[in-house]
């Protein structure tokens, strides 16, 4: 039997994937001890021959969400599951896949090792930040810290949705690293963005873009505080586009980022349900179901 165990952040998405894949959902009872320690207990027995997927995005509350996934994985492994794999649609700490400044940790690797020690043998994720240079393909697999990681892409679904909503779409990569994943959808205009590693402030090369009268479609892997999209909107508005759509796979919208984006002239925001929220107009359930049915 194949079993899907939902993490707290992805209950709805896990239900959707279970319906599509016809895998059995096993929920967990959860509580917090008075001192804040987490407790989980699987509500159904896992048999010795079962293949288990724990499915949860690790945002919001990234640290407790990550730890919860590890507890769920360990509970499944200790119940005798044959395999334990993780589906982490949005994986926090993915942006710290390198040391950018002296003295920094490799946060991503810490997480991979921790998940491995909890019994996870592979990870399925979506539009992973650290695998995006090679994510022109719909599915990319790498090995890192002894963990097999597969990244699926939601960009085809997002672009299909967003470009059908406007008349004269022009695809914009809000920074250089999004050029490769977007190129296969046609011509891409790239904004030369940079970020101050200490202050986090976003800046971009000022110039005019050929978007006059067109419907700008900005595509990014994630929107966090919105600085990247706001900078792009400020820059492009000088070239008189007809409309501004900002879309992303992972919509965190930290501290009212969506409101600040709308105030900056962005007319439409679309994200997927890797993080469930009010802009989740595109579901990644089908691509996850297809991938795990093939696995
Ligand atoms: C950066 O390389 C990422 O792809 C995103 O552009 C960035 O993380 C978005 O963050 P924010 O919304 O805070 O600008």
């Amino acid at each position: 039997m194949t079993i899907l165990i939902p993490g707290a952040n992805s209950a709805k998405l896990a239900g959707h994937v279970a319906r599509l894949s016809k895998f059995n959902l096993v929920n967990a009872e959860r509580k917090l001890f008075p001192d804040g320690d987490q407790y989980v207990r699987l509500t159904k027995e896992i048999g010795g021959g079962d293949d288990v997927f724990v499915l949860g995005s690790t945002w919001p509350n990234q640290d407790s969400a990550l730890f919860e996934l590890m507890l769920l994985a360990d509970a499944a492994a200790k119940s005798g599951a044959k395999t334990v794999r993780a589906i982490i649609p949005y994986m926090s700490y993915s942006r710290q896949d390198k040391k950018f400044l002296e003295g920094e940790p490799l946060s991503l690797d810490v997480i991979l090792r921790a998940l491995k020690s909890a019994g996870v043998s592979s990870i399925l994720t979506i539009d992973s930040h650290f695998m995006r240079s090679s994510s022109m393909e719909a599915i990319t697999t790498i090995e890192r810290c002894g963990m097999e990681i597969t990244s699926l892409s939601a960009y085809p679904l997002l672009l299909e949705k967003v470009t059908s909503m406007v008349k004269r779409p022009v695809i914009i990569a809000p920074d250089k690293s999004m050029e490769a994943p977007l190129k296969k959808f046609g011509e891409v205009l790239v904004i030369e963005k940079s970020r101050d590693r200490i202050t986090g402030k976003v800046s971009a090369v000022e110039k005019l873009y050929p978007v006059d009268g067109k419907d700008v479609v900005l595509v990014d892997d994630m929107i966090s505080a919105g600085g990247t999209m706001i900078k792009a909107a400020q820059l492009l508005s000088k070239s008189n586009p007809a409309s501004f759509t900002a879309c992303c796979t992972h919509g965190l919208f930290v501290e009212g980022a969506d409101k600040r984006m709308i105030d900056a002239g962005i007319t439409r925001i679309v994200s997927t349900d890797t993080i469930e929220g009010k802009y989740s107009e595109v579901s990644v359930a089908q691509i996850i179901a297809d991938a795990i049915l093939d696995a």
Side-chain angles (χ1 to χ4, degrees):
M1 195 156 59
T2 305
I3 288 169
L4 211 55
I5 303 176
N9 282 337
S10 300
K12 206 164 135 198
L13 177 60
H16 198 165
V17 172
R19 278 193 298 283
L20 294 169
S21 61
K22 311 236 176 341
F23 290 166
N24 297 299
L25 264 188
V26 169
N27 285 303
E29 173 197 334
R30 303 174 163 78
K31 68 182 178 191
L32 277 186
F33 287 107
D35 59 0
D37 281 5
Q38 293 190 58
Y39 172 90
V40 302
R41 180 164 183 248
L42 303 177
T43 53
K44 280 197 197 126
E45 226 169 273
I46 307 247
D50 291 341
D51 291 305
V52 171
F53 290 95
V54 290
L55 190 165
S57 278
T58 55
W59 201 85
N61 307 316
Q62 57 271 60
D63 297 344
S64 60
L66 267 165
F67 193 63
E68 183 210 39
L69 277 189
M70 291 177 210
L71 295 180
L72 294 172
D74 192 63
K78 295 286 184 304
S79 306
K82 187 169 80 178
T83 59
V84 182
R85 288 170 277 184
I87 304 166
I88 312 181
Y90 171 69
M91 221 171 131
S92 50
Y93 293 101
S94 291
R95 286 177 294 179
Q96 191 70 31
D97 62 328
K98 302 186 183 90
K99 278 177 64 165
F100 299 96
L101 299 174
E102 208 36 60
E104 290 178 346
L106 268 173
S107 312
L108 173 67
D109 291 358
V110 172
I111 285 158
L112 296 178
R113 289 195 300 266
L115 283 163
K116 203 169 159 53
S117 75
V120 172
S121 60
S122 69
I123 296 174
L124 184 70
T125 186
I126 310 215
D127 291 324
S128 148
H129 190 83
F130 62 94
M131 287 162 71
R132 70 183 169 168
S133 56
S134 50
S135 64
M136 257 185 81
E137 301 305 324
I139 303 181
T140 314
T141 302
I142 61 161
E143 196 176 306
R144 183 162 173 150
C145 294
M147 180 76 86
E148 184 184 287
I149 311 163
T150 298
S151 184
L152 308 175
S153 182
Y155 299 136
L157 293 177
L158 263 179
L159 279 162
E160 188 189 341
K161 169 86 182 176
V162 170
T163 54
S164 71
M165 292 166 142
V166 294
K167 285 202 186 97
R168 299 180 66 204
V170 50
I171 300 174
I172 313 272
D175 63 31
K176 183 80 186 143
S177 58
M178 280 302 293
E179 185 179 16
L182 294 178
K183 246 182 6 201
K184 70 173 185 181
F185 303 102
E187 198 196 341
V188 181
L189 300 179
V190 182
I191 293 180
E192 286 167 54
K193 165 195 133 179
S194 57
R195 189 188 290 274
D196 185 307
R197 289 264 160 227
I198 308 285
T199 64
K201 198 169 176 307
V202 175
S203 53
V205 174
E206 298 274 339
K207 65 176 192 189
L208 290 177
Y209 291 83
V211 298
D212 189 2
K214 297 203 180 151
D215 297 296
V216 159
V217 177
L218 285 152
V219 192
D220 210 346
D221 58 338
M222 62 187 286
I223 299 175
S224 176
T228 302
M229 289 296 187
I230 291 170
K231 182 45 92 184
Q234 286 165 344
L235 213 60
L236 294 164
S237 62
K238 297 183 180 134
S239 308
N240 301 314
S243 72
F244 273 115
T245 302
C247 69
C248 65
T249 303
H250 313 295
L252 281 69
F253 307 114
V254 172
E255 292 166 359
D258 50 343
K259 178 164 186 320
R260 278 180 273 114
M261 287 163 59
I262 292 163
D263 291 346
I266 289 171
T267 36
R268 185 182 285 118
I269 302 174
V270 178
S271 71
T272 77
D273 55 357
T274 59
I275 294 171
E276 295 163 10
K278 76 184 216 206
Y279 302 105
S280 302
E281 286 188 53
V282 172
S283 180
V284 293
Q286 188 70 60
I287 58 172
I288 293 178
D290 290 346
I292 58 180
L293 282 166
D294 274 356

